Amino acid sequence: MSLPQLPLPAGPAPACTCTPAAAAPAGSSEPDSTAGRFGPTHALILLIAFLGLGTGLFLAGTELQTVFALLGGCGAIGAATLTAAGGGRRLISVLAEAAVRSGAGK
């Protein structure tokens, strides 16, 4: 089976408009970082994946203690990855806020 040849463009290809300078807001030298943020959709996908993985392991006959240990390890690796990728400031501020709230009894 042979595939037909695709037609080639007659002229040069247009220039790419996806440079970092085009993504930066006006008056800023920083690129827009909202595109790479961890959002609620990502959290939902990870939650479904964790529930599915835990259920699959349990139905396959894995002991419940082992399932929790494996999922806890996966969660720790994920948290460490997000901390390293985000510079850690956001996670540290959330943990500090949670510690203060628990100390205040809220």
Side-chain angles (χ1 to χ4, degrees):
M1 178 173 164
S2 65
L3 298 174
Q5 293 291 328
L6 295 175
L8 296 174
C16 178
T17 59
C18 57
T19 60
S28 171
S29 62
E30 296 287 324
D32 186 17
S33 64
T34 58
R37 288 198 177 152
F38 182 78
T41 306
H42 300 104
L44 179 65
I45 291 170
L46 287 175
L47 176 67
I48 292 170
F50 264 60
L51 291 174
L53 178 63
T55 304
L57 286 170
F58 181 71
L59 292 176
T62 308
E63 294 180 16
L64 198 55
Q65 184 178 5
T66 306
V67 171
F68 288 144
L70 289 171
L71 292 180
C74 289
I77 291 170
T81 303
L82 286 175
T83 302
R89 290 181 300 241
R90 184 174 171 196
L91 181 63
I92 291 172
S93 66
V94 168
L95 291 175
E97 182 181 347
V100 170
R101 285 180 186 251
S102 69
K106 290 185 179 181

Coordinates of all heavy atoms in Angstrom, one line a residue:
M1 N 0.8 -1.2 0.0 CA 0.0 0.0 0.0 C 0.9 1.2 0.0 O 1.8 1.4 0.8 CB -0.9 0.0 1.2 CG -1.8 1.1 1.4 SD -2.8 0.8 2.8 CE -3.4 2.4 3.1
S2 N 0.7 2.1 -0.9 CA 1.5 3.4 -1.0 C 0.6 4.6 -0.6 O -0.6 4.6 -1.0 CB 2.1 3.5 -2.3 OG 1.1 3.7 -3.3
L3 N 1.2 5.5 0.0 CA 0.5 6.7 0.4 C 0.8 7.8 -0.7 O 1.9 7.9 -1.1 CB 0.9 7.2 1.8 CG 0.5 6.2 2.9 CD1 1.1 6.7 4.2 CD2 -0.9 6.0 3.0
P4 N -0.2 8.7 -1.0 CA 0.0 9.8 -1.9 C 1.0 10.8 -1.3 O 1.0 11.0 -0.1 CB -1.4 10.3 -2.2 CG -2.2 10.0 -1.0 CD -1.6 8.7 -0.5
Q5 N 1.7 11.5 -2.1 CA 2.6 12.5 -1.7 C 1.8 13.8 -1.3 O 0.9 14.1 -1.9 CB 3.6 12.9 -2.8 CG 4.6 11.8 -3.1 CD 5.6 11.6 -2.0 OE1 5.9 12.5 -1.3 NE2 6.0 10.3 -1.8
L6 N 2.2 14.4 -0.2 CA 1.6 15.6 0.3 C 2.2 16.8 -0.5 O 3.4 16.8 -0.8 CB 1.8 15.8 1.8 CG 1.1 14.8 2.7 CD1 1.6 15.1 4.1 CD2 -0.4 14.8 2.5
P7 N 1.3 17.8 -0.9 CA 1.9 18.9 -1.6 C 2.7 19.8 -0.7 O 2.5 20.0 0.5 CB 0.6 19.7 -2.0 CG -0.5 19.2 -1.1 CD -0.1 17.8 -0.7
L8 N 3.8 20.3 -1.3 CA 4.7 21.2 -0.5 C 4.3 22.6 -0.8 O 3.8 23.0 -1.8 CB 6.2 20.9 -1.0 CG 6.8 19.6 -0.7 CD1 8.1 19.4 -1.4 CD2 6.8 19.3 0.8
P9 N 4.5 23.5 0.2 CA 4.2 24.9 0.0 C 5.1 25.5 -1.0 O 6.3 25.2 -1.2 CB 4.4 25.5 1.4 CG 5.3 24.6 2.1 CD 5.0 23.2 1.6
A10 N 4.5 26.5 -1.8 CA 5.2 27.1 -2.9 C 6.3 28.1 -2.3 O 7.4 28.2 -2.9 CB 4.3 27.8 -3.8
G11 N 6.0 28.8 -1.2 CA 7.0 29.8 -0.7 C 7.6 29.3 0.6 O 7.4 28.2 1.1
P12 N 8.4 30.2 1.2 CA 9.0 29.9 2.5 C 7.9 29.8 3.6 O 6.9 30.4 3.5 CB 10.0 31.0 2.7 CG 9.5 32.1 1.9 CD 8.8 31.5 0.7
A13 N 8.2 29.0 4.6 CA 7.3 28.9 5.7 C 7.2 30.2 6.5 O 8.2 30.9 6.6 CB 7.8 27.7 6.6
P14 N 6.0 30.5 7.1 CA 5.9 31.7 7.9 C 6.7 31.6 9.1 O 7.0 30.5 9.7 CB 4.4 31.8 8.2 CG 3.9 30.4 8.0 CD 4.8 29.7 7.0
A15 N 7.2 32.7 9.6 CA 8.0 32.8 10.8 C 7.1 32.4 12.1 O 5.9 32.6 12.1 CB 8.5 34.2 11.1
C16 N 7.8 31.7 13.0 CA 7.1 31.3 14.2 C 6.8 32.5 15.1 O 7.6 33.3 15.3 CB 7.9 30.3 15.0 SG 7.2 29.8 16.5
T17 N 5.6 32.6 15.6 CA 5.2 33.7 16.5 C 5.1 33.3 17.9 O 4.5 34.0 18.8 CB 3.8 34.3 16.1 OG1 2.8 33.2 16.2 CG2 3.8 34.8 14.7
C18 N 5.7 32.2 18.3 CA 5.6 31.6 19.6 C 6.9 31.9 20.4 O 7.3 31.1 21.3 CB 5.2 30.2 19.6 SG 6.4 29.2 18.7
T19 N 7.6 33.0 20.2 CA 8.8 33.3 21.0 C 8.4 33.7 22.4 O 7.3 34.2 22.6 CB 9.6 34.4 20.3 OG1 8.7 35.5 20.2 CG2 10.0 34.0 18.9
P20 N 9.3 33.6 23.3 CA 9.0 34.0 24.7 C 8.7 35.5 24.8 O 7.9 35.9 25.7 CB 10.3 33.7 25.5 CG 11.0 32.6 24.7 CD 10.6 32.9 23.3
A21 N 9.3 36.3 23.9 CA 9.0 37.7 24.0 C 7.5 38.0 23.6 O 6.9 38.9 24.1 CB 9.9 38.5 23.0
A22 N 6.9 37.2 22.8 CA 5.5 37.3 22.4 C 4.6 36.9 23.5 O 3.5 37.4 23.7 CB 5.2 36.5 21.2
A23 N 5.1 36.0 24.4 CA 4.2 35.6 25.5 C 4.3 36.5 26.7 O 3.5 36.4 27.6 CB 4.7 34.2 25.9
A24 N 5.3 37.4 26.8 CA 5.4 38.3 27.9 C 4.4 39.4 27.9 O 4.1 39.9 26.8 CB 6.8 38.9 27.9
P25 N 3.8 39.7 29.0 CA 2.9 40.8 29.1 C 3.6 42.1 28.8 O 4.8 42.2 29.0 CB 2.3 40.8 30.5 CG 2.9 39.6 31.2 CD 3.9 39.0 30.3
A26 N 2.8 43.1 28.4 CA 3.4 44.4 28.1 C 4.1 45.0 29.4 O 3.5 45.0 30.4 CB 2.4 45.4 27.6
G27 N 5.3 45.5 29.2 CA 6.0 46.1 30.3 C 6.7 45.2 31.3 O 7.1 45.5 32.4
S28 N 6.8 43.9 30.9 CA 7.4 42.9 31.8 C 8.4 42.1 31.0 O 8.2 41.8 29.8 CB 6.3 42.0 32.4 OG 6.9 40.9 33.0
S29 N 9.5 41.7 31.6 CA 10.4 40.9 31.0 C 10.2 39.4 31.3 O 10.9 38.5 30.8 CB 11.9 41.3 31.4 OG 12.0 41.1 32.8
E30 N 9.2 39.1 32.2 CA 8.9 37.7 32.5 C 7.9 37.1 31.6 O 6.9 37.8 31.3 CB 8.4 37.6 34.0 CG 9.4 38.1 35.0 CD 10.5 37.0 35.2 OE1 10.2 35.8 35.1 OE2 11.6 37.4 35.4
P31 N 8.0 35.9 31.2 CA 6.9 35.3 30.4 C 5.7 35.0 31.3 O 5.8 34.9 32.5 CB 7.5 34.0 29.8 CG 8.7 33.7 30.8 CD 9.1 35.0 31.3
D32 N 4.6 34.8 30.6 CA 3.3 34.5 31.3 C 3.4 33.1 31.9 O 3.5 32.2 31.1 CB 2.1 34.7 30.4 CG 0.8 34.6 31.1 OD1 0.8 34.7 32.4 OD2 -0.2 34.4 30.5
S33 N 3.3 32.9 33.2 CA 3.5 31.6 33.8 C 2.2 30.9 34.1 O 2.2 29.9 34.8 CB 4.3 31.7 35.1 OG 3.7 32.5 36.0
T34 N 1.0 31.5 33.7 CA -0.2 30.9 34.1 C -0.5 29.6 33.3 O -1.3 28.8 33.7 CB -1.4 31.9 33.9 OG1 -1.4 32.3 32.5 CG2 -1.3 33.1 34.8
A35 N 0.1 29.5 32.2 CA -0.1 28.3 31.3 C 0.4 27.0 32.0 O -0.2 25.9 31.7 CB 0.5 28.5 30.0
G36 N 1.4 27.1 32.8 CA 2.0 25.8 33.4 C 1.6 25.6 34.8 O 2.2 24.7 35.4
R37 N 0.6 26.2 35.3 CA 0.2 26.1 36.7 C -0.6 24.8 36.9 O -1.3 24.3 36.1 CB -0.7 27.2 37.2 CG 0.1 28.5 37.4 CD -0.6 29.4 38.2 NE 0.3 30.6 38.4 CZ -0.2 31.8 38.7 NH1 -1.5 32.0 38.7 NH2 0.6 32.8 38.8
F38 N -0.5 24.2 38.1 CA -1.2 23.0 38.6 C -2.6 23.5 39.0 O -2.7 24.2 40.0 CB -0.4 22.4 39.7 CG -1.0 21.1 40.2 CD1 -0.9 20.0 39.5 CD2 -1.8 21.1 41.4 CE1 -1.4 18.8 39.9 CE2 -2.4 19.9 41.8 CZ -2.2 18.8 41.1
G39 N -3.6 23.1 38.2 CA -4.9 23.5 38.5 C -5.9 22.4 39.0 O -5.5 21.3 39.2
P40 N -7.1 22.8 39.2 CA -8.1 21.8 39.7 C -8.3 20.6 38.7 O -8.6 19.5 39.2 CB -9.4 22.6 39.8 CG -9.2 23.9 39.3 CD -7.7 24.1 39.0
T41 N -8.2 20.8 37.4 CA -8.3 19.7 36.5 C -7.2 18.7 36.7 O -7.4 17.5 36.7 CB -8.3 20.3 35.0 OG1 -9.3 21.3 34.9 CG2 -8.6 19.2 34.0
H42 N -6.0 19.2 36.9 CA -4.9 18.3 37.1 C -5.1 17.5 38.4 O -4.8 16.3 38.5 CB -3.6 19.1 37.2 CG -3.3 19.9 35.9 ND1 -3.4 21.2 35.9 CD2 -2.8 19.5 34.7 CE1 -3.1 21.6 34.6 NE2 -2.7 20.6 33.9
A43 N -5.6 18.2 39.4 CA -5.8 17.5 40.7 C -6.8 16.5 40.6 O -6.7 15.4 41.1 CB -6.2 18.6 41.8
L44 N -7.9 16.7 39.8 CA -9.0 15.7 39.6 C -8.4 14.5 38.8 O -8.7 13.4 39.2 CB -10.1 16.3 38.8 CG -11.3 15.4 38.5 CD1 -12.0 14.9 39.8 CD2 -12.3 16.1 37.6
I45 N -7.6 14.8 37.8 CA -7.0 13.6 37.1 C -6.1 12.8 38.0 O -6.2 11.6 37.9 CB -6.3 14.2 35.8 CG1 -7.2 14.8 34.8 CG2 -5.4 13.1 35.2 CD1 -6.6 15.5 33.7
L46 N -5.3 13.4 38.8 CA -4.5 12.7 39.7 C -5.3 11.9 40.8 O -4.9 10.8 41.1 CB -3.5 13.6 40.4 CG -2.3 14.1 39.5 CD1 -1.5 15.1 40.3 CD2 -1.5 13.0 39.0
L47 N -6.4 12.5 41.2 CA -7.2 11.8 42.2 C -7.8 10.6 41.6 O -7.8 9.5 42.2 CB -8.3 12.8 42.7 CG -9.3 12.2 43.6 CD1 -8.7 11.8 45.0 CD2 -10.5 13.1 43.8
I48 N -8.3 10.7 40.4 CA -8.9 9.5 39.7 C -7.9 8.5 39.4 O -8.1 7.3 39.6 CB -9.6 10.0 38.4 CG1 -10.9 10.8 38.7 CG2 -10.0 8.8 37.5 CD1 -11.5 11.5 37.5
A49 N -6.7 8.9 39.1 CA -5.6 7.9 38.8 C -5.2 7.2 40.1 O -5.0 6.0 40.1 CB -4.4 8.7 38.2
F50 N -5.1 7.9 41.2 CA -4.8 7.3 42.5 C -5.8 6.4 42.9 O -5.6 5.2 43.4 CB -4.5 8.4 43.6 CG -3.1 8.8 43.7 CD1 -2.4 9.3 42.7 CD2 -2.5 8.6 45.0 CE1 -1.1 9.6 42.8 CE2 -1.2 8.9 45.1 CZ -0.4 9.5 44.1
L51 N -7.1 6.8 42.8 CA -8.2 5.9 43.2 C -8.2 4.6 42.3 O -8.4 3.5 42.8 CB -9.5 6.6 43.1 CG -9.8 7.7 44.2 CD1 -11.1 8.4 43.9 CD2 -9.8 7.1 45.6
G52 N -8.0 4.8 41.0 CA -8.0 3.7 40.1 C -6.8 2.7 40.4 O -7.0 1.5 40.4
L53 N -5.7 3.3 40.7 CA -4.5 2.5 41.0 C -4.7 1.7 42.3 O -4.4 0.5 42.3 CB -3.2 3.4 41.0 CG -1.9 2.7 41.4 CD1 -1.6 1.6 40.3 CD2 -0.8 3.7 41.6
G54 N -5.2 2.4 43.3 CA -5.4 1.7 44.6 C -6.4 0.6 44.5 O -6.2 -0.5 45.0
T55 N -7.5 0.9 43.8 CA -8.5 -0.1 43.6 C -8.0 -1.3 42.8 O -8.3 -2.5 43.2 CB -9.8 0.5 42.9 OG1 -10.2 1.6 43.6 CG2 -10.9 -0.5 42.7
G56 N -7.3 -1.0 41.8 CA -6.7 -2.1 40.9 C -5.7 -3.0 41.7 O -5.8 -4.2 41.6
L57 N -4.9 -2.4 42.5 CA -4.0 -3.1 43.4 C -4.7 -4.0 44.4 O -4.4 -5.1 44.6 CB -3.0 -2.2 44.1 CG -1.9 -1.6 43.2 CD1 -1.1 -0.5 44.0 CD2 -0.9 -2.6 42.7
F58 N -5.7 -3.4 45.0 CA -6.5 -4.2 46.0 C -7.2 -5.3 45.4 O -7.2 -6.4 45.9 CB -7.4 -3.2 46.8 CG -8.2 -3.9 47.8 CD1 -7.6 -4.3 49.0 CD2 -9.6 -4.2 47.6 CE1 -8.4 -5.0 50.0 CE2 -10.3 -4.8 48.6 CZ -9.7 -5.2 49.8
L59 N -7.8 -5.1 44.2 CA -8.6 -6.2 43.6 C -7.6 -7.3 43.0 O -8.0 -8.4 42.9 CB -9.4 -5.6 42.4 CG -10.6 -4.7 42.9 CD1 -11.3 -4.2 41.6 CD2 -11.6 -5.5 43.7
A60 N -6.4 -6.9 42.8 CA -5.4 -7.9 42.3 C -4.9 -8.7 43.5 O -4.1 -9.7 43.3 CB -4.2 -7.2 41.6
G61 N -5.3 -8.4 44.7 CA -4.9 -9.2 45.9 C -3.7 -8.6 46.7 O -3.2 -9.3 47.6
T62 N -3.4 -7.4 46.5 CA -2.3 -6.8 47.3 C -2.9 -6.4 48.6 O -4.0 -5.9 48.7 CB -1.8 -5.5 46.5 OG1 -1.5 -5.8 45.2 CG2 -0.6 -4.9 47.2
E63 N -2.1 -6.6 49.7 CA -2.5 -6.2 51.0 C -2.8 -4.7 51.1 O -2.1 -3.9 50.5 CB -1.5 -6.6 52.0 CG -1.2 -8.1 52.2 CD -0.2 -8.4 53.2 OE1 0.1 -7.5 54.0 OE2 0.3 -9.5 53.2
L64 N -3.8 -4.4 51.9 CA -4.2 -3.0 52.0 C -3.1 -2.1 52.6 O -2.9 -1.0 52.1 CB -5.4 -2.9 52.9 CG -6.2 -1.6 52.8 CD1 -6.7 -1.3 51.4 CD2 -7.5 -1.7 53.7
Q65 N -2.3 -2.6 53.5 CA -1.2 -1.9 54.0 C -0.1 -1.6 52.9 O 0.4 -0.5 52.9 CB -0.5 -2.7 55.2 CG 0.6 -1.9 55.9 CD 1.2 -2.7 57.0 OE1 0.8 -3.9 57.2 NE2 2.1 -2.2 57.7
T66 N 0.1 -2.5 52.1 CA 1.0 -2.3 51.0 C 0.5 -1.3 50.0 O 1.3 -0.5 49.4 CB 1.3 -3.6 50.2 OG1 1.8 -4.6 51.2 CG2 2.4 -3.5 49.2
V67 N -0.8 -1.3 49.7 CA -1.4 -0.4 48.8 C -1.2 1.0 49.3 O -0.8 2.0 48.6 CB -2.9 -0.7 48.6 CG1 -3.6 0.4 47.8 CG2 -3.1 -2.0 47.8
F68 N -1.5 1.2 50.6 CA -1.3 2.6 51.2 C 0.1 3.0 51.2 O 0.4 4.2 50.9 CB -1.9 2.6 52.6 CG -3.4 2.5 52.7 CD1 -4.0 1.8 53.7 CD2 -4.2 3.2 51.8 CE1 -5.3 1.8 53.8 CE2 -5.5 3.1 51.9 CZ -6.1 2.4 52.9
A69 N 1.0 2.1 51.4 CA 2.5 2.5 51.4 C 2.9 2.9 49.9 O 3.6 3.9 49.8 CB 3.3 1.3 51.8
L70 N 2.4 2.1 48.9 CA 2.8 2.5 47.6 C 2.2 3.8 47.1 O 2.8 4.7 46.5 CB 2.3 1.4 46.6 CG 3.1 0.1 46.7 CD1 2.4 -1.0 45.9 CD2 4.5 0.3 46.1
L71 N 0.9 4.1 47.5 CA 0.3 5.3 47.1 C 0.9 6.5 47.9 O 1.0 7.6 47.3 CB -1.3 5.2 47.4 CG -2.0 4.3 46.4 CD1 -3.5 4.3 46.8 CD2 -1.8 4.6 45.0
G72 N 1.2 6.2 49.1 CA 1.9 7.3 49.9 C 3.3 7.7 49.3 O 3.6 8.8 49.3
G73 N 4.0 6.7 48.8 CA 5.3 6.9 48.2 C 5.1 7.7 46.9 O 5.8 8.6 46.6
C74 N 4.1 7.3 46.1 CA 3.8 8.1 44.9 C 3.4 9.5 45.2 O 3.8 10.4 44.5 CB 2.7 7.4 44.1 SG 3.1 5.8 43.4
G75 N 2.6 9.7 46.2 CA 2.2 11.1 46.6 C 3.4 11.9 47.1 O 3.6 13.1 46.8
A76 N 4.3 11.3 47.8 CA 5.5 12.0 48.3 C 6.4 12.4 47.1 O 7.0 13.5 47.1 CB 6.3 11.1 49.3
I77 N 6.6 11.5 46.1 CA 7.4 11.8 45.0 C 6.7 12.9 44.2 O 7.4 13.9 43.7 CB 7.6 10.5 44.1 CG1 8.5 9.5 44.8 CG2 8.1 10.9 42.7 CD1 8.5 8.2 44.1
G78 N 5.4 12.9 44.0 CA 4.7 14.0 43.3 C 4.8 15.3 44.0 O 5.1 16.3 43.4
A79 N 4.7 15.3 45.4 CA 4.9 16.6 46.1 C 6.3 17.1 46.0 O 6.5 18.3 45.8 CB 4.5 16.3 47.6
A80 N 7.3 16.2 46.1 CA 8.6 16.7 45.9 C 8.9 17.2 44.5 O 9.6 18.2 44.4 CB 9.6 15.5 46.2
T81 N 8.3 16.6 43.5 CA 8.5 17.1 42.1 C 7.8 18.5 42.0 O 8.4 19.4 41.4 CB 7.8 16.1 41.1 OG1 8.4 14.9 41.3 CG2 8.0 16.6 39.7
L82 N 6.6 18.7 42.5 CA 5.9 20.0 42.4 C 6.7 21.0 43.2 O 6.8 22.2 42.8 CB 4.5 19.9 42.9 CG 3.5 19.2 42.0 CD1 2.2 19.1 42.7 CD2 3.4 19.9 40.7
T83 N 7.3 20.7 44.3 CA 8.0 21.6 45.1 C 9.3 22.0 44.4 O 9.6 23.2 44.3 CB 8.4 21.0 46.5 OG1 7.2 20.6 47.1 CG2 9.2 21.9 47.3
A84 N 10.0 21.1 43.8 CA 11.2 21.4 43.1 C 10.9 22.3 41.8 O 11.6 23.2 41.5 CB 11.9 20.1 42.7
A85 N 9.8 21.9 41.1 CA 9.5 22.7 39.9 C 9.0 24.1 40.2 O 9.2 25.0 39.5 CB 8.4 21.9 39.1
G86 N 8.3 24.2 41.3 CA 7.7 25.5 41.7 C 8.6 26.4 42.5 O 8.2 27.5 43.0
G87 N 9.8 26.0 42.8 CA 10.7 26.7 43.7 C 10.4 26.5 45.2 O 11.1 26.9 46.0
G88 N 9.3 25.8 45.5 CA 9.0 25.5 46.9 C 8.3 26.5 47.7 O 7.8 26.3 48.8
R89 N 8.3 27.8 47.2 CA 7.7 28.9 48.0 C 6.2 28.7 48.3 O 5.8 28.9 49.4 CB 7.9 30.2 47.3 CG 9.4 30.6 47.2 CD 9.5 32.0 46.6 NE 9.0 31.8 45.2 CZ 9.7 32.0 44.1 NH1 10.9 32.4 44.2 NH2 9.2 31.9 42.9
R90 N 5.5 28.3 47.3 CA 4.1 28.1 47.4 C 3.7 27.0 48.4 O 2.9 27.2 49.3 CB 3.4 27.9 46.0 CG 1.9 27.8 46.1 CD 1.4 27.7 44.7 NE 0.0 27.4 44.7 CZ -0.7 27.0 43.7 NH1 -0.1 26.8 42.5 NH2 -2.0 26.7 43.8
L91 N 4.4 25.9 48.2 CA 4.1 24.7 49.1 C 4.5 25.0 50.6 O 3.8 24.7 51.5 CB 4.9 23.5 48.6 CG 4.6 22.2 49.5 CD1 3.2 21.8 49.4 CD2 5.5 21.1 49.0
I92 N 5.7 25.7 50.7 CA 6.1 26.1 52.1 C 5.1 27.0 52.7 O 4.8 26.9 53.9 CB 7.5 26.6 52.1 CG1 8.5 25.5 51.7 CG2 7.9 27.3 53.4 CD1 9.9 26.0 51.5
S93 N 4.6 28.0 51.9 CA 3.6 28.9 52.5 C 2.3 28.2 52.9 O 1.7 28.6 53.9 CB 3.4 30.1 51.5 OG 2.7 29.6 50.4
V94 N 1.9 27.3 52.1 CA 0.7 26.5 52.4 C 0.9 25.7 53.7 O 0.0 25.7 54.6 CB 0.2 25.6 51.2 CG1 -0.8 24.7 51.6 CG2 -0.2 26.5 50.1
L95 N 2.0 25.0 53.8 CA 2.3 24.2 55.0 C 2.4 25.1 56.2 O 1.9 24.8 57.3 CB 3.6 23.4 54.8 CG 3.5 22.3 53.8 CD1 4.9 21.6 53.6 CD2 2.5 21.3 54.2
A96 N 3.1 26.3 56.1 CA 3.2 27.2 57.2 C 1.8 27.7 57.7 O 1.5 27.8 58.8 CB 4.1 28.3 56.9
E97 N 1.0 28.0 56.7 CA -0.4 28.5 57.0 C -1.2 27.4 57.7 O -1.9 27.7 58.7 CB -1.1 28.9 55.7 CG -2.5 29.5 56.0 CD -3.2 29.9 54.7 OE1 -2.5 30.0 53.6 OE2 -4.4 30.1 54.7
A98 N -1.1 26.2 57.2 CA -1.8 25.1 57.9 C -1.3 24.8 59.3 O -2.1 24.6 60.2 CB -1.6 23.8 57.1
A99 N 0.0 25.0 59.5 CA 0.6 24.8 60.9 C 0.1 25.9 61.8 O -0.3 25.6 63.0 CB 2.1 24.8 60.8
V100 N 0.0 27.1 61.3 CA -0.5 28.2 62.1 C -1.9 28.1 62.5 O -2.4 28.3 63.6 CB -0.2 29.6 61.4 CG1 -0.9 30.7 62.1 CG2 1.3 29.9 61.4
R101 N -2.7 27.7 61.5 CA -4.2 27.5 61.7 C -4.4 26.3 62.7 O -5.3 26.4 63.5 CB -4.9 27.2 60.4 CG -5.1 28.4 59.5 CD -5.8 28.0 58.2 NE -5.8 29.2 57.4 CZ -6.9 29.8 57.1 NH1 -8.1 29.5 57.6 NH2 -6.9 30.9 56.3
S102 N -3.6 25.3 62.6 CA -3.9 24.1 63.5 C -3.4 24.5 64.9 O -4.0 24.1 65.9 CB -3.1 22.9 63.0 OG -1.7 23.1 63.1
G103 N -2.4 25.4 65.0 CA -1.9 25.8 66.3 C -2.9 26.8 67.0 O -3.0 26.8 68.2
A104 N -3.6 27.5 66.1 CA -4.6 28.5 66.6 C -6.0 27.8 66.9 O -6.9 28.4 67.5 CB -4.8 29.6 65.7
G105 N -6.1 26.5 66.5 CA -7.3 25.8 66.8 C -8.4 26.0 65.8 O -9.6 25.8 66.0
K106 N -8.1 26.5 64.6 CA -9.1 26.8 63.6 C -9.3 25.6 62.7 O -8.5 25.1 62.1 CB -8.7 28.1 62.8 CG -8.9 29.3 63.6 CD -8.6 30.5 62.7 CE -8.8 31.8 63.5 NZ -8.6 33.0 62.7

